Amino acid sequence: MLEHMKGAIFDLDGVIVDTAKYHYLAWRSLAGGLGFQFTEEHNERLKGVSRMRSLDILLAIGGREFNEAEKLAMADKKNRLYVEYISSLDESELLPGVRAYLSGLRARGVAIALGSASKNAGFILDKLNIAGLFDAVVDGNKVARAKPDPEVFQTACRELGLQPEDCVVFEDAEAGVAAGKAAGMQVVGIGKPEVLKDADLVISGLHEL
Ligand code: BG6
Ligand code: MG
């Protein structure tokens, strides 16, 4: 499947860079301000999940309820803190093998897209100095429906001018694997086979390829 692909669509958080730790610090601080604990185990539930849905999960963990306006303000506060943490990101935080694998794909003529839920994706790609490796960038600002809905990968595929069967998705989250399969694409899971059961192949990182 990897030999024949014409397009490769990468998730960002957990595939290209480990931003989960910064999301965690920001969410933990928000929870702390509301008077409850938010653990790393809780944070696992937010992987691949959109910002507002993540907030809903966090508030359910704390047993707290707020109206829409209050929730928007909280999500904004969390994001300002998160952006502060990631503003010092640089190339050294690229996950192992990322630059080599993407450069190799380009050399082979494979088109490359980003398919991420994050609204900070453009900023992060710039910080990591890899924006130039992507032919298309589809992020949380461009799509209405979050993974496991296939919209983000369908849009990326369309922007590359390809068909779903020509594309392979690289994903670390269960919801992302489901989104890739729902889009009719082959999916390489990055993580543990027992978690990413629906992926066509599971590896521990791009350095393996
Ligand atoms: C996903 C992350 O890539 O993006 C989630 O895995 C995050 O943890 C989501 O909540 C949205 O990110 P952002 O940067 O728009 O808050
Ligand atoms: Mg991810």
Side-chain angles (χ1 to χ4, degrees), residues 2 17 28-31 35 50-51 72 81-82 91 98 118 137 152 154 167 171 179 187:
L2 294 174
V17 59
R28 189 180 66 178
S29 158
L30 187 83
S50 75
R51 192 183 305 167
L72 283 173
L81 201 54
Y82 174 64
E91 258 186 272
V98 170
S118 174
V137 173
V152 64
Q154 288 166 332
C167 294
E171 253 296 345
V187 179

Side-chain angles (χ1 to χ4, degrees), residues 46-83:
L46 308 188
K47 281 193 180 165
V49 175
S50 75
R51 192 183 305 167
M52 292 309 290
R53 178 80 194 108
S54 295
L55 177 63
D56 284 337
I57 295 172
L58 176 132
L59 293 175
I61 288 167
R64 304 292 302 272
E65 277 181 35
F66 294 92
N67 67 33
E68 251 347 270
E70 289 167 329
K71 287 204 279 186
L72 283 173
M74 282 178 199
D76 195 53
K77 186 172 171 191
K78 179 267 172 179
N79 191 55
R80 272 183 274 124
L81 201 54
Y82 174 64
V83 169

Side-chain angles (χ1 to χ4, degrees), residues 11-15 47-48 147 171-173:
D11 172 49
L12 177 67
D13 298 309
V15 172
K47 281 193 180 165
K147 301 169 189 175
E171 253 296 345
D172 71 310

Side-chain angles (χ1 to χ4, degrees), residues 92-119:
S92 69
E93 296 210 44
L94 275 175
L95 286 171
V98 170
R99 184 178 288 283
Y101 188 62
L102 269 66
S103 304
L105 290 179
R106 286 196 77 82
R108 270 167 55 194
V110 176
I112 300 177
L114 191 83
S116 167
S118 174
K119 294 187 170 171

